Amino acid sequence: MILGFLSRESEFTSGGYPVIVEALQALRQLTEQSELPEGRVELRGDQLYINFMSFDTKRQEEQMAEKHEQYLDIHYLIEGYEQIGWSPLQEGIIPSQSYDEADDYALYAPQSDELILNVRPGMYIVFFPNDIHRPGMGNGVPIKKAVIKIHKALLV
């Protein structure tokens, strides 16, 4: 997991992956527009794209955690307040819902070692395929956010 602020482009933390910097730069350009895009914006087709979304957050007890195999996620909060849970994948953890290859996710119950991140507008969080994360929490608060999807093949 990597945590940073989009406004600090010179300090983008990418874990040494140029594609993460590329994705954050594209996101920054899009969010500087007077009108934000809606839905999916493709940067490199299915390999790298951004989903812009608005929804009401859920209470912690209503939200499951997720993990991906093929993509890493970059969550960026545009408006509102969001809590996102994070825990590392550990041996022996069994998903509550098996991996769905078509949609690239498995669902998990919250882990006992989960860290709750309090996210405010302008923050981004990079979740790698070995990170279990539980986004969208916050007791019914409306939020606007972007989620960048980067296929793991682009990390080489």
Side-chain angles (χ1 to χ4, degrees), residues 17-18 152-156:
Y17 298 108
K152 66 182 185 180
L154 297 178
L155 296 178
V156 290

Side-chain angles (χ1 to χ4, degrees), residues 56-73:
D56 291 343
T57 58
K58 295 181 180 180
R59 295 184 321 208
Q60 285 187 10
E61 56 272 10
E62 297 175 323
Q63 189 70 332
M64 296 291 291
E66 61 187 47
K67 185 180 116 25
H68 310 289
E69 297 288 331
Q70 300 301 315
Y71 287 86
L72 63 89
D73 284 355

Side-chain angles (χ1 to χ4, degrees), residues 24-39:
L24 291 171
Q25 288 172 335
L27 177 62
R28 186 171 184 172
Q29 289 174 352
L30 288 167
T31 58
E32 289 175 345
Q33 296 177 9
S34 59
E35 195 168 314
L36 285 174
E38 295 274 333

Side-chain angles (χ1 to χ4, degrees), residues 1-65:
M1 177 197 52
I2 298 171
L3 179 67
F5 289 90
L6 196 62
S7 62
R8 300 181 185 158
E9 184 174 1
S10 64
E11 301 173 15
F12 279 170
T13 305
S14 67
Y17 298 108
V19 70
I20 293 176
V21 173
E22 174 189 341
L24 291 171
Q25 288 172 335
L27 177 62
R28 186 171 184 172
Q29 289 174 352
L30 288 167
T31 58
E32 289 175 345
Q33 296 177 9
S34 59
E35 195 168 314
L36 285 174
E38 295 274 333
R40 182 172 165 153
V41 175
E42 293 186 357
L43 303 174
R44 291 200 212 173
D46 286 340
Q47 297 257 306
L48 174 59
Y49 58 93
I50 305 172
N51 285 319
F52 287 89
M53 58 191 80
S54 299
F55 60 90
D56 291 343
T57 58
K58 295 181 180 180
R59 295 184 321 208
Q60 285 187 10
E61 56 272 10
E62 297 175 323
Q63 189 70 332
M64 296 291 291

Side-chain angles (χ1 to χ4, degrees), residues 72-130:
L72 63 89
D73 284 355
I74 302 176
H75 290 247
Y76 174 70
L77 189 62
I78 299 167
E79 291 177 9
Y81 170 81
E82 180 182 23
Q83 292 181 312
I84 299 179
W86 170 83
S87 55
L89 180 63
Q90 298 176 26
E91 192 170 321
I93 294 177
I94 299 170
S96 302
Q97 182 178 318
S98 297
Y99 178 67
D100 179 326
E101 189 173 340
D103 291 326
D104 187 42
Y105 75 92
L107 295 179
Y108 292 80
Q111 302 300 303
S112 61
D113 63 347
E114 180 181 58
L115 175 66
I116 301 295
L117 305 165
N118 294 307
V119 185
R120 63 179 196 248
M123 293 175 73
Y124 69 85
I125 306 172
V126 180
F127 294 108
F128 291 89
N130 61 343

